[in-house]
């Protein structure tokens, strides 16, 4: 329900539902559970969408704290709150902190996927040729994971295709 409210731009209603969701998850699962982490990320997103990155920061930090208590998984990807946190730091001009969060993201990917893990930004018109060339060189897991679109008016998170 809260994500529907977010999509509709009804942020106050969404925050109310998210506060309730956190209270219920704590009652059912104890403090610092993964459902609380997800709701906390969503609270940060609401602040971000309101263009209040100062208010978003503690939510993203809290989500990272909770997530650190559990093994990484599809539900608990530490780079989800970390990406939001880095973007919020950057939006506030806190570039050193943003850089550290982005560095931690790449270290996580390297540790999870090995030293051969690499990302490259390639013009869309050349992406298919680059992928084919890299696969031909033996990099069989080469794939396109997203594309950059022109910026719109809304501040939106960046998602990668999986």
């Amino acid at each position: 329900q809260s994500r529907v409210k977010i999509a509709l731009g009804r942020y106050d209603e969404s925050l109310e539902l998210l506060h309730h969701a956190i209270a219920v998850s704590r009652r059912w699962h104890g403090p610092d559970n993964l459902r609380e982490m997800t709701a906390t990320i969503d609270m940060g997103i609401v602040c971000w969408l309101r263009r209040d990155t100062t208010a978003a920061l503690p939510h993203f930090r809290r989500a990272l704290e909770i997530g650190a208590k559990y093994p990484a998984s599809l539900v608990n990807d530490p780079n989800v709150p970390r990406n939001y946190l880095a973007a919020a730091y950057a939006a506030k001009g806190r570039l050193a902190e943003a850089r550290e969060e982005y560095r931690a993201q790449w270290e996580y990917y390297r540790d999870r996927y090995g030293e051969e893990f690499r990302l490259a930004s390639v013009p869309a018109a050349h992406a298919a040729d680059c992928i084919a060339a890299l696969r031909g060189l033996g990099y069989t897991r080469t794939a396109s994971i997203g594309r950059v679109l022109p910026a719109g008016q809304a501040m939106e998170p960046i998602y990668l295709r999986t």
Side-chain angles (χ1 to χ4, degrees):
Q1 279 283 351
S2 66
R3 289 188 176 170
V4 170
K5 302 290 185 187
I6 292 171
L8 294 172
R10 294 161 63 176
Y11 302 134
D12 290 334
E13 293 173 49
S14 177
L15 286 174
E16 185 178 325
L17 289 169
L18 290 165
H19 281 290
H20 179 71
I22 289 173
V24 169
S25 73
R26 285 180 179 169
R27 195 172 27 224
W28 289 352
H29 305 288
D32 298 345
N33 63 77
L34 291 175
R35 286 187 170 93
E36 178 179 348
M37 182 192 78
T38 301
T40 303
I41 291 170
D42 286 352
M43 291 175 81
I45 291 170
V46 168
C47 296
W48 176 266
L49 291 171
R50 287 180 159 173
R51 299 190 186 284
D52 187 353
T53 52
T54 300
L57 286 170
H59 296 296
F60 298 139
R61 278 194 216 106
R62 178 76 179 118
L64 270 173
E65 290 172 11
I66 295 170
K69 298 177 181 187
Y70 298 92
S73 67
L74 289 175
V75 175
N76 180 30
D77 180 346
N79 279 343
V80 171
R82 182 166 279 126
N83 188 56
Y84 286 118
L85 181 59
Y89 279 140
K92 294 301 291 178
R94 296 167 62 175
L95 301 182
E97 291 159 299
R99 188 178 312 108
E100 284 304 307
E101 294 302 330
Y102 286 127
R103 181 192 52 74
Q105 282 183 8
W106 299 123
E107 287 178 3
Y108 169 80
Y109 285 132
R110 183 199 62 223
D111 293 346
R112 186 169 178 119
Y113 301 109
E115 287 294 329
E116 74 277 359
F117 175 78
R118 300 288 184 267
L119 285 180
S121 177
V122 177
H126 304 291
D129 292 335
C130 288
I131 290 170
L134 287 166
R135 286 182 180 162
L137 291 170
Y139 297 98
T140 58
R141 294 172 51 189
T142 301
S144 172
I145 61 169
R147 58 189 181 130
V148 177
L149 301 173
Q153 292 294 336
M155 289 180 20
E156 298 176 9
I158 296 171
Y159 295 99
L160 299 179
R161 277 194 322 250
T162 57

